[in-house]
Amino acid sequence: WMGISLAVISPRLLCAQAAPVSKWQEVRNHQPPTLHLKMTLAKDHFYQGEKIDATLDFSNADANNPYSVAVGAGTPGAFFRARDEKGNAVVDPLHWHTDWYPILISGMVGNEPFGRYSLTLPVNDAVRFDRPGVYTLYAQSGVTKGTSFMNRERIELASDEATVTILPLTAEK
């Protein structure tokens, strides 16, 4: 009896203790294996308030399934998310991913097809590091498959996560 009861209870206990899936992992779980978004930073530490640029490289290993990324006025092509050491989300000063993304289109927008496509964006427009510390940062972008505006399939991509150290602003800086 004891052995059978434990076998039935154990899976329930394991399921109840499973950690929630992060937003990053949720996007990565649904990302096609042929699509990649690589984020490159100039360095891994910055002073508080220093401009942080990220180069984003989009790639598609499947030439038979073309994808495109929308870039142009009001459509940056990607946004950034960050969290501190405790897992708290970093402030999004322009509300990119809470109010606007992915609906903001305010001007001419080009759909850039990519086998390989690169762009550089300011991280500081999407996250604000209010205090020194160690943060986890990643880029996220929506790409589309298809040619007709009405028949496009939207797919979210997330870059690998990067660890960024924000240093206190000093008198010299």
Side-chain angles (χ1 to χ4, degrees):
W1 288 87
M2 182 79 97
I4 294 172
S5 296
L6 287 176
V8 172
I9 294 172
S10 293
R12 295 182 100 186
L13 289 174
L14 290 174
C15 290
Q17 295 174 0
V21 175
S22 70
K23 290 180 183 181
W24 175 83
Q25 189 62 58
E26 192 175 307
V27 172
R28 291 296 284 252
N29 287 346
H30 295 94
Q31 188 168 308
T34 59
L35 298 180
H36 303 281
L37 174 56
K38 179 183 176 189
M39 177 181 68
T40 305
L41 304 172
K43 53 189 179 180
D44 64 358
H45 62 282
F46 299 88
Y47 286 95
Q48 195 172 359
E50 181 180 356
K51 183 179 178 190
I52 303 171
D53 283 331
T55 299
L56 304 177
D57 295 306
F58 295 82
S59 63
N60 179 5
D62 183 359
N64 295 323
N65 287 302
Y67 289 84
S68 60
V69 60
V71 293
T75 306
F79 68 91
F80 301 91
R81 291 184 187 262
R83 64 183 180 279
D84 65 17
E85 293 171 294
K86 294 179 182 176
N88 299 316
V90 173
V91 173
D92 172 12
L94 300 178
H95 301 276
W96 273 116
H97 60 266
T98 56
D99 294 349
W100 301 109
Y101 187 81
I103 62 169
L104 179 66
I105 298 176
S106 62
M108 292 299 292
V109 174
N111 282 317
E112 296 291 336
F114 66 92
R116 295 195 82 65
Y117 179 73
S118 293
L119 72 149
T120 299
L121 296 171
V123 171
N124 309 72
D125 283 354
V127 293
R128 184 180 72 218
F129 300 102
D130 288 336
R131 60 188 152 281
V134 177
Y135 296 87
T136 302
L137 172 72
Y138 70 94
Q140 186 172 334
S141 180
V143 299
T144 55
K145 178 180 178 182
T147 54
S148 163
F149 184 74
M150 299 304 286
N151 288 332
R152 289 188 176 179
E153 174 188 359
R154 183 175 177 81
I155 296 170
E156 293 294 319
L157 302 181
S159 70
D160 286 340
E161 294 179 311
T163 300
V164 177
T165 302
I166 302 299
L167 304 169
L169 192 58
T170 62
E172 300 88 48
K173 295 291 177 185

